Amino acid sequence: MKLKMLYSFLKTDIDEIEKELNLAIESDTSLLKDASLHLLQAGGKRIRPVFVLLAAKAGDYDIHVIKNVAVALELIHMASLVHDDVIDDAELRRGRTTIKAQWDNQVAMYTGDYMFARALDYMTIIEKPAAHQILSNAIVELCIGEIAQIEDKYRFDQNLRDYLRRIKRKTALLIAVSCQLGAIAGNTPEKIHTSLYRFGYYVGMAYQITDDILDFTSSEEELGKPAGGDLSQGNITLPVLYALKDPQLNKRIRRVHGDMPRAEMELLIQDIIATDAISKSYDMSQQYLKKALKELDALPQSRAKKSLRDIALFIGKRKY
Amino acid sequence: MKLKMLYSFLKTDIDEIEKELNLAIESDTSLLKDASLHLLQAGGKRIRPVFVLLAAKAGDYDIHVIKNVAVALELIHMASLVHDDVIDDAELRRGRTTIKAQWDNQVAMYTGDYMFARALDYMTIIEKPAAHQILSNAIVELCIGEIAQIEDKYRFDQNLRDYLRRIKRKTALLIAVSCQLGAIAGNTPEKIHTSLYRFGYYVGMAYQITDDILDFTSSEEELGKPAGGDLSQGNITLPVLYALKDPQLNKRIRRVHGDMPRAEMELLIQDIIATDAISKSYDMSQQYLKKALKELDALPQSRAKKSLRDIALFIGKRKY
């Protein structure tokens, strides 16, 4: 079962958004266009636009309005990916060379800025001050999350709260506001859009935890980038936090540094996988998904509600 | 005569904005706060906030509303400076080490993102869709201008139009919208805020041309960074464009590259100064200022109008 089968009734509208994304990055500056297009064509799940559309289905769904919000959210996400790759010094993203690898850090930085600015442009069609407050607040938190990730690198004494706050800022909030802004743009009552916000938040938490698990358990081919990359870059994710509770592993993990030999790192990753760190992380992801599904009770039955439910369940099982 | 003497009647409000800027960058993430504070404390003319306030004086001036626009514009400007320093690989800004020199490119990138996001946060207090459209459009153009500057480096066959379009995007538009948004937030009629937009645009063009002249004619001490930096980094500014018309200088300028010996570069700069390139650039700056002053005819007499006029005249004469 593929993810996009879960919302196939939206296909025409998703295609429309893809077309709009291509228009959004049009520019008479070829460097900017080439770099943006490079990232756009690498694909991606477009999960934020999908959430925007599905949430809007709970209200007055007008694709000509909603698509602007969907495009804005995807552009903000893409901008953060481009800037993320500069931080991570990443060479590969979605199986393709990154903008910073193909061009350089400078081009990556301004391409991100440009996508971000274009996103704001698209959002201006929504004439609801609350929507803009919600979005700008999420973006502030996103930036704080990114900086916190730099600060927290190789900080082996951090706790679960640090991790959860970081992934909330880094991932969950933007998915939460994708749902909420879709619902607000669809003129739903507050009860509905706050439920959808929480749904998105819980799904986002589960999504990032799964991502952090897959970084351990997937192959380079499946990930589109080297496996075990998080730990070797000093990112302390949930599986690492659990593994740190094992006194032996604790000592070995604390010795991780940027230039650790590949073989030693691979052995460490295998030994972490052999503990209950992965299954415990998986359990936490499931708890978040359970909470997410409960939020959907606020919504009347519909195809969109079923899709939201199916996507949440899919995220709990995803392998890539 | 100091610049700030020209709007001394606004002193209380300018102090209020300075206080608000400090609050704006407050964060529980110390890295983010330190880096932002580092830039904030380096000072700067705060010319965008001043334009916001003076423009708002043409309408209903409420400092509690206007200050949000002023803070937003200054934060956007600061964010662009931080990102600019990454591009330019600059070590000094306003006589202080840059964020990218004090920390690194990554921190500079996210500090810029954060300031930018906080700016949007401040803007959400303005519940006028047009204001947000104007601002987001200016930011898009700003990003295009920054990328164009990378593309146009060492491109010695560019013309005046390329240069003017670049400085429009890079500098003039943000000053133009500072004036316009101040006026819009002050509920002025369209005739007034478009005049103020044009005033800001012309002043911004003159301001950047003067900046480009001063890069040639000022000392390192006055600039707070090495003199002649533009040309040595391959930035083709207005004095360079005029100097390129001299066949001898043309040959020498076309040989400029990143590793040109300092002595050779200094000689070239002296020889450019010895031509009419500087005075011709100065003439163009004066033309823009003349146009700027004419736009002020649309405004009734007031202290604010006098300040706008005096600032424009000051820019025409500024030496640093």
Side-chain angles (χ1 to χ4, degrees):
Chain A
M1 181 65 125
K2 280 196 168 171
L3 180 61
K4 63 180 173 190
M5 299 292 290
L6 306 178
Y7 44 84
S8 52
F9 74 100
L10 286 177
K11 188 174 182 317
T12 318
D13 292 352
I14 301 277
D15 289 349
E16 176 77 20
I17 284 163
E18 200 63 29
K19 225 185 300 171
E20 196 65 45
L21 278 169
N22 274 282
L23 288 176
I25 56 162
E26 269 294 335
S27 155
D28 55 359
T29 312
S30 59
L31 184 55
L32 206 46
K33 195 184 158 182
D34 292 348
S36 306
L37 208 59
H38 179 82
L39 181 64
L40 192 63
Q41 290 178 343
K45 300 182 199 70
R46 311 282 190 247
I47 196 75
R48 290 156 196 82
V50 168
F51 279 138
V52 172
L53 299 189
L54 289 172
K57 285 278 183 190
D60 316 330
Y61 184 93
D62 176 352
I63 184 64
H64 302 296
V65 174
I66 299 301
K67 76 171 176 186
N68 294 285
V69 181
V71 166
L73 266 301
E74 185 65 12
L75 286 173
I76 290 168
H77 170 61
M78 286 171 74
S80 83
L81 291 186
V82 181
H83 282 188
D84 234 15
D85 288 338
V86 176
I87 297 288
D88 294 345
D89 216 14
E91 297 289 321
L92 288 176
R93 158 83 64 188
R94 296 173 178 171
R96 271 193 153 208
T97 53
T98 56
I99 293 178
K100 75 127 248 147
Q102 181 98 354
W103 287 271
D104 58 31
N105 275 345
Q106 278 83 344
V107 172
M109 195 183 66
Y110 279 132
T111 304
D113 287 358
Y114 174 70
M115 288 180 153
F116 189 36
R118 291 294 288 134
L120 300 178
D121 230 7
Y122 272 85
M123 271 303 286
T124 57
I125 205 168
I126 305 299
E127 301 195 350
K128 293 182 180 178
H132 298 279
Q133 276 149 20
I134 288 165
L135 185 61
S136 69
N137 179 57
I139 298 167
V140 167
E141 292 294 321
L142 183 63
C143 293
I144 296 176
E146 301 284 10
I147 285 270
Q149 185 164 324
I150 303 179
E151 279 196 308
D152 288 349
K153 273 192 181 183
Y154 300 106
R155 210 164 63 65
F156 298 105
D157 56 351
Q158 62 187 275
N159 58 31
L160 182 61
R161 237 183 96 217
D162 295 319
Y163 168 77
L164 294 177
R165 191 173 50 185
R166 212 163 54 231
I167 68 169
K168 172 184 172 179
R169 286 169 158 164
K170 221 189 82 154
T171 306
L173 276 180
L174 202 60
I175 294 181
V177 303
S178 297
C179 295
Q180 189 177 23
L181 293 178
I184 288 178
N187 303 312
T188 62
E190 191 176 341
K191 184 179 173 303
I192 296 291
H193 72 67
T194 53
S195 276
L196 279 164
Y197 169 88
R198 283 194 298 264
F199 168 81
Y201 166 70
Y202 292 134
V203 162
M205 295 297 279
Y207 188 87
Q208 187 58 50
I209 292 171
T210 315
D211 233 32
D212 293 343
I213 294 171
L214 292 173
D215 188 71
F216 275 88
T217 59
S218 293
S219 65
E220 175 159 351
E221 201 188 340
E222 288 165 323
L223 288 175
K225 60 185 177 183
D230 284 338
L231 182 55
S232 36
Q233 282 172 13
N235 289 328
I236 315 299
T237 58
L238 191 56
V240 180
L241 281 177
Y242 284 128
L244 277 163
K245 298 198 172 168
D246 176 298
Q248 284 303 315
L249 277 174
N250 187 295
K251 276 184 206 159
R252 287 169 61 199
I253 292 170
R254 282 174 181 273
R255 282 200 295 268
V256 167
H257 57 87
D259 298 319
M260 192 176 232
R262 188 71 211 151
E264 192 181 345
M265 179 58 75
E266 276 172 13
L267 192 63
L268 178 57
I269 289 168
Q270 287 316 312
D271 290 346
I272 291 175
I273 294 174
T275 67
D276 59 358
I278 300 296
S279 71
K280 275 187 164 170
S281 303
Y282 183 76
D283 288 348
M284 187 167 299
S285 153
Q286 292 298 320
Q287 282 172 37
Y288 277 113
L289 287 175
K290 226 169 114 182
K291 288 185 180 179
L293 293 175
K294 215 166 145 22
E295 292 297 334
L296 293 181
D297 291 348
L299 271 66
Q301 286 306 331
S302 71
R303 253 192 320 190
K305 176 175 172 171
K306 187 179 178 313
S307 287
L308 288 169
R309 191 179 151 272
D310 291 347
I311 292 171
L313 294 172
F314 180 90
I315 284 169
K317 290 179 209 145
R318 79 191 176 106
K319 291 282 176 289
Y320 58 92
Chain B
M1 180 66 127
K2 281 197 167 172
L3 180 61
K4 64 180 173 190
M5 298 293 290
L6 306 178
Y7 44 85
S8 53
F9 74 99
L10 286 176
K11 188 175 182 316
T12 318
D13 292 352
I14 301 276
D15 289 348
E16 176 77 21
I17 284 164
E18 200 63 29
K19 226 186 298 171
E20 196 65 45
L21 278 168
N22 274 282
L23 288 175
I25 57 162
E26 270 295 334
S27 155
D28 55 0
T29 311
S30 59
L31 184 56
L32 207 46
K33 194 183 156 181
D34 293 348
S36 306
L37 209 58
H38 179 81
L39 181 64
L40 192 62
Q41 290 178 343
K45 301 182 199 69
R46 310 282 190 249
I47 195 75
R48 290 155 196 82
V50 169
F51 279 138
V52 172
L53 299 189
L54 289 172
K57 286 278 182 188
D60 316 330
Y61 184 92
D62 176 352
I63 184 66
H64 303 296
V65 175
I66 299 300
K67 76 172 176 186
N68 295 284
V69 181
V71 166
L73 266 300
E74 184 66 10
L75 287 173
I76 291 168
H77 170 61
M78 286 171 74
S80 83
L81 291 186
V82 181
H83 282 189
D84 234 16
D85 287 338
V86 176
I87 297 288
D88 294 345
D89 215 15
E91 297 289 321
L92 288 176
R93 158 83 66 188
R94 296 173 177 171
R96 270 193 153 208
T97 54
T98 57
I99 293 179
K100 76 127 250 148
Q102 180 100 354
W103 287 273
D104 58 30
N105 275 345
Q106 279 82 344
V107 172
M109 196 184 65
Y110 278 133
T111 303
D113 287 358
Y114 174 69
M115 288 180 154
F116 190 36
R118 291 294 287 131
L120 301 178
D121 230 8
Y122 272 85
M123 271 302 288
T124 58
I125 205 169
I126 306 298
E127 302 195 350
K128 294 182 179 176
H132 298 279
Q133 277 148 19
I134 288 165
L135 185 61
S136 68
N137 178 57
I139 299 167
V140 167
E141 293 293 323
L142 183 63
C143 293
I144 296 176
E146 300 284 9
I147 285 271
Q149 186 164 323
I150 303 179
E151 279 196 307
D152 288 350
K153 273 191 180 184
Y154 300 106
R155 211 165 63 64
F156 299 104
D157 57 351
Q158 62 188 275
N159 57 31
L160 184 61
R161 235 182 99 216
D162 295 319
Y163 169 77
L164 294 177
R165 192 173 51 186
R166 211 162 56 230
I167 68 169
K168 173 184 173 178
R169 286 169 159 164
K170 221 189 83 155
T171 306
L173 276 179
L174 203 60
I175 295 181
V177 303
S178 296
C179 294
Q180 189 177 24
L181 293 177
I184 288 178
N187 303 312
T188 62
E190 192 176 340
K191 183 178 173 303
I192 297 291
H193 71 68
T194 53
S195 275
L196 279 163
Y197 169 88
R198 284 194 297 263
F199 168 81
Y201 166 71
Y202 292 134
V203 163
M205 294 297 280
Y207 188 85
Q208 187 58 51
I209 292 171
T210 314
D211 233 32
D212 293 342
I213 294 171
L214 292 174
D215 188 71
F216 275 88
T217 59
S218 292
S219 65
E220 174 159 351
E221 202 188 339
E222 287 165 324
L223 287 174
K225 61 185 177 184
D230 285 337
L231 181 56
S232 35
Q233 282 170 15
N235 289 327
I236 315 299
T237 58
L238 190 55
V240 181
L241 282 176
Y242 283 129
L244 278 164
K245 299 199 171 169
D246 174 299
Q248 283 302 317
L249 277 173
N250 187 295
K251 276 185 205 159
R252 288 169 61 198
I253 291 171
R254 282 174 182 273
R255 281 200 296 269
V256 167
H257 57 88
D259 298 318
M260 192 177 231
R262 189 71 213 151
E264 193 182 345
M265 178 59 74
E266 275 172 14
L267 192 63
L268 177 57
I269 289 168
Q270 287 316 312
D271 290 345
I272 292 174
I273 294 174
T275 68
D276 59 359
I278 300 297
S279 70
K280 276 187 164 172
S281 303
Y282 182 76
D283 288 348
M284 186 166 300
S285 153
Q286 291 300 320
Q287 281 172 37
Y288 278 113
L289 287 175
K290 226 169 115 181
K291 288 185 179 180
L293 293 175
K294 215 165 146 21
E295 292 297 334
L296 293 181
D297 292 347
L299 270 66
Q301 286 305 331
S302 72
R303 251 191 322 189
K305 177 175 171 171
K306 185 177 180 315
S307 289
L308 289 170
R309 191 179 151 273
D310 290 347
I311 293 172
L313 294 172
F314 181 90
I315 284 170
K317 291 180 209 142
R318 79 191 177 105
K319 292 279 175 292
Y320 58 91

